Amino acid sequence: MTITGEERTRVAAVSVTPAGPSVSPATAAALAAVLMGVLAATLVRHGGFYPVDAFGVVIVAVPLIVAGMAWNHDRHAVAAAVGLGGLAGWWLARALMERRPGAFLPFGASLLIFVASYLVVRSLVHRDRTRVAMAIVTISTAVAVTGVVGVLGRWSALAQPTRGSWAASTTITYPAAAAVVCAVGLLMALTLDLHTALVRVAVCLGLAGLLATRSHWDLLALGCGALFLPAGRWFKAAWPLAMGATAGLVVVATSTGPGSAVWASLAAAAAAAASLAPVRLRHRRGAHRAAAVLGVLAAAALVVAAVVLPVGSGHASGGQSQTLAWSSSGDAWRSSAVTGVGPPRTSTVRGPVATYPGLVPDSYLTVAAEGGGVGILLLLVGGAAVAAGVRRRNLLASGAAAATVAFAVSGFVDFAWQLPAVALLGGCVAGLTTAPAATGPPSGPTPGVGRGGGFRPVGVGALCVLVAVAVVAVQVGAGSRVKAGGASPAPTVEPAPTTQPDRPGHTILTGADPTDPYMIKAGGRYLLYTSEGTSFLNVPLWIGTRPGKWQKLVDALPTLPPWAHGGSTWAPDVQRVAGGWALYFTSLVQGVAPDMRCIGSAFSRSPRGPFVPTAHPIICQVGHRGSIDPRVFVESGHRLVMLWKSEDNANPGVPGPDQNGPTGIYAQFLRADGRTLLGQPVKILAPSEPWEGTIVEAPDMVEAWGTYWLFFSGNWFNQPAYGIGVAACQSPFGPCTDTSPAPLLGSNLQGEGPGEASLFTEGSAVSLLYNPFKGNDPGPAIPRPVDMTRLGFTPQGPYLASP
């Protein structure tokens, strides 16, 4: 059979023309260029996370979806569009039912832009596909460079401080999202001409930027995607990869400390420059040996990276527990805390989201919790349709498949894909892996859609939408509300602000000066520990069935350690540790002049004691005139952090260079058994507001809305100016920002100078325990009872709430 010239032309046209109506390559290329512009813009704009930016993404996505559907009529494209479009429609319905249309963003924008980019990119001819790949590599390289520069320069706009070190987050909302961009760009770069200087630098900086984000999960995603690339590409890129691993490890190794390291910047720049060296292996035997050596070096580098990088540090807020939140119109946010404490319903926020450290957007976990299996079903339908359309015809398609796998794995473990910018990137690489099925002339029927096609995606999509509508209707009727992450159900309302700000709390204990209260619940009983006061007990422990109804008083610490002077035991804190319970307390040191107080520790099998003290203080800052007010905070990863106050204001009448100096609040890791401090102490707060004078003390911390809120007392304890303030911290080790131009709780009708506060958490309710002065009491000693008030939280900070 002889093929005529006209038939050859028709066959060639079919091989590069998308199914369905013909589309001009120039038109498809122009829309792909629009996508690249939106990708760059959203990456700069915090991933498109802000409501206004996400709304702009929707405006761009809708016409692109219409155009893409006009060009792509094969069953894979239709199934993907119907599946993911159905999920977007269902999410919009959920937002409308909550009477908050703006809550559709940014999750809905991510779904729409993924579909739009997938449909547009899969319509491109080979030449334009290569250009899109190069654009992705260029943009991801810029992201990697800004991240590395942010870590080296300690710039909070481009990096995020976490546990005393820095992780690259660029301008995206959190580091894990930046890691996805770097991983996808690196895999796409490996499919391009590795002899080009830009591509070699992109490979080097892509790996360096990925390591700088300090994300284990995205290294795993990169490894999964690597399986889809020919091994020869990794061999050809061995030298720039080795230089990228070197630069990345240099950045990670120098990411701790308060200032940048000039030599580290020079070393990273030198490694990037060295990646340009044309290392070529001409002999087969030498090539195999060199490949083995470089492979061992690369594997060793990744092992070192896995050891150096803290597990989970690439997540939002860097090691903080995830607080799933979604945006609403007018900068309103809805939170459902997986761990920590957060209000379960929407609180209106005025101001940029970037001021709330650790806040991350919504995730598919919330989709599953609030919509049952419908959201996951539609998501799987869309994803399966994309996967079914993969055509590994050439190296570019293989690299795009690898990038798509990395994108999917990363999105599964840290849900970065729900940022519109990352979703757009994922849609582009998914589109590069696929191609419409070849068809006959444009006038002929489209395979898989017309009669006899076998698979009818429109019917399947319609069925999915009907199931979604049915389940949503059942949810509305049943009033289903399930907390994200499988946690226990959250209250249906937030605590309302108190209607009596001058009388915010109620008294739960009176008596012999029970100061510095600290309460826990154990064994079905409430245990309230206080300072010694005038009770003649070292650590009075009140036990009762509810706060205020106390049935028993015992001494939790009947014997003091040999270093401690009796009659001055303060500020107890009790914490469960490995092997039992720990009690931390402040006591006067024997035989020291002028007086100095330090922090001791004691241990018991029961929170009721008796606690047996250790022979030496656990904290004693001699250079700061002592240490007081210990308080243990349990980080989301169950690591213990000790907080305390330096006694720089002790003995103000005693001359010295630090006479009546400003105090500080310090933090330091504590070993799991509670007996040994780890690392070095970090000063996280000092007096900064006029009402605080030179004193901040009595620290306690809670996590809410992805932020660590540090409560403290300011000024002298026996003055009316004494009060309780709050600071917002990005981690238990800071940096902390004092948000208290006035005290959260100051002198009121309950008493003057309330302070010496601690936090008590029961379920999702957080309460504040404190001591006000009863200054009008006629007794010989001014009593300081224990009062208790409920707290509420918004992303802007805590507030006094009604009981």
Side-chain angles (χ1 to χ4, degrees), residues 66-85:
V66 173
M69 288 304 298
W71 303 337
N72 297 276
H73 287 173
D74 63 286
R75 59 189 182 186
H76 302 304
V78 174
V82 172
L84 294 175

Side-chain angles (χ1 to χ4, degrees), residues 334-337 342-346 370 483 490-495 705 764:
R334 187 181 188 280
S335 172
S336 180
R345 295 189 66 184
T346 306
E370 296 200 348
K483 192 174 182 180
T492 57
V493 295
E494 312 175 13
W705 284 94
S764 61

Side-chain angles (χ1 to χ4, degrees), residues 602-629:
F603 298 88
S604 173
R605 292 290 183 181
S606 167
R608 302 187 182 195
F611 287 87
V612 178
T614 56
H616 304 283
I618 189 172
I619 303 172
C620 195
Q621 296 169 295
V622 177
H624 292 273
R625 301 197 177 199
S627 307
I628 68 170
D629 294 347

Side-chain angles (χ1 to χ4, degrees), residues 501-514:
D502 288 336
R503 296 180 181 273
H506 61 282
T507 299
I508 62 172
L509 181 63
T510 60
D513 198 24

Side-chain angles (χ1 to χ4, degrees), residues 67 74 126 266 268 311 448 500-501 624 663 682 743 785:
D74 63 286
H126 177 71
L266 295 176
V311 174
Q500 297 180 311
H624 292 273
T663 68
V682 178

Side-chain angles (χ1 to χ4, degrees), residues 585-640:
F585 58 92
T586 303
S587 192
L588 187 66
V589 179
Q590 292 222 43
V592 175
D595 290 347
M596 183 171 66
R597 291 170 176 81
C598 294
I599 296 172
S601 58
F603 298 88
S604 173
R605 292 290 183 181
S606 167
R608 302 187 182 195
F611 287 87
V612 178
T614 56
H616 304 283
I618 189 172
I619 303 172
C620 195
Q621 296 169 295
V622 177
H624 292 273
R625 301 197 177 199
S627 307
I628 68 170
D629 294 347
R631 190 72 72 217
V632 175
F633 171 70
V634 183
E635 201 183 15
S636 56
H638 304 292
R639 296 214 287 179
L640 306 181

